[in-house]
Amino acid sequence: MNYKNLFSEIKVGNLTLKNRIIFPPISTNLASNSGEVNSEFIYHYARRAKGGAALITLENMCIQYPDARNGATQPRIDDDKFIPGLSKVAYNIHSYGSLAFMELTHPGLFAETEYTEGKIPIAPSVVRLRADGLEPKELTEDEIYVIVEAFAQAALRAKKAFFDGVEIEAAHGLLVDQFLSPITNKRIDKFGGSLENRVRFAGLIIDRIKELCGKNFTVTARVGVVDFVNGGIDIKEGVKIAKAFEEMGYAAVHADVGFGNKEYRLEPMQYPEAWRTDFAYALKKEVKIPVVAVGMIRTPKAAEEILDEGKADLVALGRTLIADPDFPIKAESGREQEIKKCIGCSECIKARHDEEVAIRCGVNPSVGKSEYEELLIPSGNRKKVLVVGAGPAGLEAAITMARRGHKVYIFEKEDHIGGALKLAAVPPGKEKLLWLLDYYLYMVGKLDIQITLKKEATEESIDDFKPDTVVLAYGSKCLIPPINGIKNKNSIPFKKILNGTFEIVNKKVVVGGGGLVGCETALYLASKGNDVTILEMLPEIATGMETLSRNYLLKELSERKVKYFVNAPVREIKENLVIFGNENSIDMDYFVVAFGGVPDHKLYEKIRTKYETYIIGDAIKANKIIDAVHAGFAIGKVV
């Protein structure tokens, strides 16, 4: 496909972008606790520039310390001492022909008090919206001007650090957005009430930036044009806000979301691709400055269509470029099938928002690490390598080893590749997982990796093959706990349900196990008209998931009328009855065994002394896709 729009130049303010791709600000937790940048931080942004994005935007920069601190490792721009380090980031971005921006942010009402030295958060008005119930202090007019100056001084430091422009965060319910939205702005002075008054704060910010940095310094904004809360901004008012930003001198606007569930901006996998584009289109019809579409744009085709249909002027590819920073180069050079697409696994979100640790990616093992850790050094000793198992761990290992020069072969006992990944893509809304499988299929062919399907690996078959090295990645077996009746004919392993070998329709089904596998199997069964109940021995179901994705899954289960019991270990399975907990029972036609997987090391023990042997992925411990992919990459680098 010819992406003539995606790879055409465009003017944003006084800058010329070489294509229409922006890497937007995404928190990484890579900076130090003191807010300084480091080598991993610098490489993270430089790597996205190296991949071909036209404009790289640094994550939410702290402009006022500690009042506006938002996270333990938020990068800072509130003092001149940070200029030297940040200039290294700009230099590395520029070295690849990309423009360097940074997002200037103030959390206002939502400042994290554990990082602000206990200071009470500030806001346009006193509203009780924080989860902890803490009421903010209402800003005085003098205090508003102090924060305006903080934004402007931060922009001046960005310019001194050789950044080409700044983006003002006016979305996601943060301070500038708090002035825009009637949900948080209850003021009756010149900063509240009418739309003209509510945008005044954003106007003062850009005016002061231009005074300090010059009229030609480019300032853009990420604007919350829709609130998913009653009484907030609707898209009609969002268009008016964008027009006001245009009149104030902002060079471009990102059409983003404001208040509401974080799910709308950190979307779980099930959301449709590019679903937020209509917000950009509404703005595009009314403003003359460039409009940026953002939100789950995962493929070059989708990006090109947005531009070709006139719905936006640029596309912001965030998690898309986390998953594969070379997306732009690959798309422009006709290598779309080599793009490792973001599958929406939300591991990056779990790291940043749930665990407050360094960013990671389910499909890109190099995210958050140094340049050295990404390098694949050609092997000086070309080996004949046998990989047992064509799931994500085995395929990632095979591709990595082949790229290093080894001759790689795969034995797969099934008649298809994919392993647990293929099964995981079966439940409703999980189709994006097949994108990763498509990538593996293409790369296996391109690298001439020979796969033998329906080939069971045994000690004898491996001996006959005579490999130099063996990588065991054959996955796990279905865990069958010692429960009376679990081997009855009406007791079915979850794998048989998801792979289609056993179909259940319009029946009463009990699913044993409320982990991710059990919950998603239950959802799939419910989609087939079954009356489904989950039994879980732990206090909660779907534990270990990223919070927003878990909440979405629980909502889906509720909508499908899937019932569940926790603290409910299965005691006995009878012909039409399951006994659980303290002698409770439930009628059923079928019992589905979904207690997870258990590793099997028998083959490993048989061959480990004969060959250089590695065992990875679910063959060691049943785990998530990210663990399989990362393990495959790690082994592939050292063989």
Side-chain angles (χ1 to χ4, degrees):
M1 183 174 179
N2 180 17
Y3 305 108
K4 59 182 178 62
N5 294 294
L6 190 59
F7 295 103
S8 62
E9 292 184 350
I10 186 172
K11 291 277 288 186
V12 175
N14 290 291
L15 302 171
T16 299
L17 279 64
K18 63 183 179 182
N19 59 49
R20 305 300 181 95
I21 298 172
I22 291 175
F23 181 59
I26 293 180
S27 298
T28 64
N29 276 358
L30 293 177
S32 71
N33 288 335
S34 62
E36 293 276 5
V37 303
N38 51 36
S39 59
E40 288 82 8
F41 185 99
I42 294 169
Y43 181 65
H44 176 79
Y45 287 102
R47 184 65 184 85
R48 272 76 218 162
K50 181 181 179 181
L55 190 153
I56 307 297
T57 316
L58 270 59
E59 63 202 81
N60 58 323
M61 305 294 296
C62 179
I63 65 163
Q64 189 181 39
Y65 186 87
D67 308 55
R69 196 176 180 202
N70 188 23
T73 59
Q74 183 185 19
R76 290 170 59 184
I77 187 69
D78 60 287
D79 191 286
D80 286 355
K81 68 183 180 182
F82 298 106
I83 292 174
L86 289 165
S87 69
K88 295 178 184 178
V89 187
Y91 177 84
N92 278 270
I93 291 171
H94 289 152
S95 68
Y96 294 109
S98 301
L99 298 172
F101 268 52
M102 65 171 65
E103 181 190 57
L104 305 183
T105 306
H106 195 304
L109 169 64
F110 298 111
E112 299 178 48
T113 53
E114 62 183 302
Y115 303 124
T116 61
E117 299 178 2
K119 291 193 174 184
I120 299 298
I122 52 86
S125 306
V126 178
V127 290
R128 185 172 289 182
L129 290 178
R130 291 174 59 99
D132 59 10
L134 184 64
E135 288 188 352
K137 177 185 179 299
E138 182 173 307
L139 285 165
T140 66
E141 187 170 322
D142 287 344
E143 289 169 333
I144 289 172
Y145 281 96
V146 168
I147 295 175
V148 167
E149 187 65 21
F151 270 101
Q153 291 294 335
L156 181 59
R157 292 185 190 102
K159 183 179 180 182
K160 290 179 178 179
F162 306 108
F163 280 76
D164 302 288
V166 295
E167 175 184 292
I168 303 302
E169 167 65 287
H172 302 169
L174 302 184
L175 184 60
V176 181
D177 193 19
Q178 290 161 27
F179 274 91
L180 299 178
S181 179
I183 293 170
T184 41
N185 190 341
K186 311 292 184 183
R187 301 177 74 96
I188 56 174
D189 61 4
K190 66 181 181 180
F191 290 100
S194 67
L195 180 62
E196 179 184 3
N197 285 350
R198 284 184 279 129
V199 301
R200 191 181 305 277
F201 181 54
L204 290 172
I205 290 171
I206 190 169
D207 286 348
R208 183 59 178 148
I209 289 175
K210 295 287 188 176
E211 286 177 14
L212 292 180
C213 300
K215 292 182 179 180
N216 291 330
F217 188 68
T218 302
V219 183
T220 64
R222 174 174 290 242
V223 182
V225 296
V226 175
D227 289 332
F228 287 94
V229 178
N230 290 335
I233 296 167
D234 60 20
I235 191 60
K236 290 183 179 179
E237 187 169 46
V239 170
K240 293 177 182 177
I241 290 171
K243 291 177 72 174
F245 272 64
E246 178 180 37
E247 292 168 3
M248 290 186 288
Y250 285 89
V253 286
H254 291 242
D256 214 329
V257 297
F259 285 85
N261 194 319
K262 278 186 177 180
E263 176 187 302
Y264 296 117
R265 60 182 175 88
L266 300 172
E267 303 95 333
M269 183 185 299
Q270 294 88 339
Y271 270 65
E273 186 178 8
W275 74 277
R276 280 189 255 167
T277 300
D278 285 344
F279 304 149
Y281 191 29
L283 272 58
K284 176 68 177 159
K285 295 173 184 176
E286 300 293 336
V287 302
K288 294 182 175 62
I289 57 174
V291 174
V292 185
V294 62
M296 288 197 84
I297 303 167
R298 298 289 187 251
T299 61
K301 183 175 182 289
E304 177 67 19
E305 287 176 354
I306 290 167
L307 301 173
D308 189 56
E309 294 169 8
K311 292 184 176 180
D313 301 288
L314 299 115
V315 290
L317 306 182
R319 284 178 279 177
T320 299
L321 297 187
I322 297 291
D324 192 339
D326 293 325
F327 176 108
I329 288 175
K330 291 176 180 177
E332 189 172 18
S333 60
R335 295 184 290 138
E336 299 95 324
Q337 290 176 290
E338 292 182 38
I339 294 172
K340 215 175 191 184
K341 300 182 186 74
C342 170
I343 57 174
C345 67
S346 295
E347 285 293 338
C348 55
I349 298 167
K350 183 176 175 63
R352 168 63 181 92
H353 293 272
D354 287 356
E355 300 168 348
E356 295 193 3
V357 298
I359 191 171
R360 60 178 179 262
C361 175
V363 301
N364 184 352
S366 301
V367 169
K369 298 177 182 176
S370 67
E371 182 174 10
Y372 173 77
E373 290 174 284
E374 184 179 4
L375 290 175
L376 293 182
I377 300 172
S379 174
N381 179 22
R382 192 170 190 261
K383 299 176 183 178
K384 179 183 180 182
V385 183
L386 174 62
V387 176
V388 178
L395 292 168
E396 186 73 30
I399 289 166
T400 305
M401 290 184 291
R403 289 174 63 193
R404 293 184 55 234
H406 295 302
K407 183 59 182 174
V408 184
Y409 303 82
I410 300 175
F411 284 1
E412 169 54 54
K413 67 180 180 180
E414 303 293 344
D415 61 359
H416 59 269
I417 74 167
L421 181 64
K422 191 173 180 68
L423 293 179
V426 172
K430 303 300 291 293
E431 299 83 5
K432 291 185 182 73
L433 291 175
L434 294 176
W435 287 350
L436 183 56
L437 189 55
D438 290 342
Y439 164 82
Y440 284 139
L441 269 169
Y442 179 79
M443 293 303 295
V444 161
K446 180 176 181 178
L447 295 169
D448 194 28
I449 298 169
Q450 296 182 32
I451 300 181
T452 305
L453 298 175
K454 296 190 286 188
K455 178 74 171 180
E456 183 87 31
T458 63
E459 182 180 7
E460 292 73 22
S461 65
I462 293 172
D463 286 343
D464 290 342
F465 191 72
K466 296 180 175 60
D468 299 310
T469 303
V470 181
V471 176
L472 299 176
Y474 44 66
S476 61
K477 293 183 177 180
C478 187
L479 174 61
I480 309 293
I483 298 170
N484 288 336
I486 200 165
K487 294 185 179 180
N488 293 349
K489 64 180 181 180
N490 66 339
S491 183
I492 316 298
F494 76 92
K495 290 184 179 180
K496 287 190 175 183
I497 302 296
L498 295 181
N499 68 19
T501 58
F502 196 96
E503 188 174 16
I504 305 175
V505 180
N506 297 327
K507 300 292 183 181
K508 292 190 70 174
V509 183
V510 172
V511 175
L516 179 59
V517 166
C519 289
E520 292 190 339
T521 302
L523 192 64
Y524 172 74
L525 287 164
S527 74
K528 299 294 183 180
N530 295 293
D531 180 359
V532 185
T533 302
I534 300 170
L535 299 180
E536 170 56 51
M537 66 183 296
L538 296 176
E540 292 182 315
I541 63 170
T543 58
M545 293 182 67
E546 180 271 325
T547 300
L548 297 176
S549 297
R550 179 177 184 269
N551 291 342
Y552 193 92
L553 175 59
L554 294 178
K555 181 177 68 173
E556 286 186 303
L557 291 171
S558 175
E559 290 171 351
R560 295 279 188 178
K561 296 181 170 51
V562 175
K563 301 174 286 295
Y564 62 88
F565 294 90
V566 296
N567 299 311
V570 177
R571 305 295 185 189
E572 186 175 1
I573 302 163
K574 298 187 177 182
E575 185 176 351
N576 296 110
L577 189 75
V578 178
I579 299 172
F580 66 94
N582 296 319
E583 300 304 316
N584 299 305
S585 64
I586 184 170
D587 295 335
M588 58 86 185
D589 298 304
Y590 291 98
F591 182 87
V592 174
V593 181
F595 295 108
V598 60
D600 181 357
H601 295 169
K602 291 177 184 176
L603 182 58
Y604 175 68
E605 295 300 336
K606 288 179 180 179
I607 69 169
R608 61 185 298 185
T609 59
K610 294 183 176 183
Y611 309 99
E612 178 189 7
T613 305
Y614 302 91
I615 183 168
I616 61 172
D618 285 3
I620 295 179
K621 178 185 177 183
N623 226 317
K624 297 185 290 184
I625 290 171
I626 183 174
D627 302 294
V629 172
H630 285 222
F633 183 74
I635 289 298
K637 286 182 64 179
V638 300
V639 169

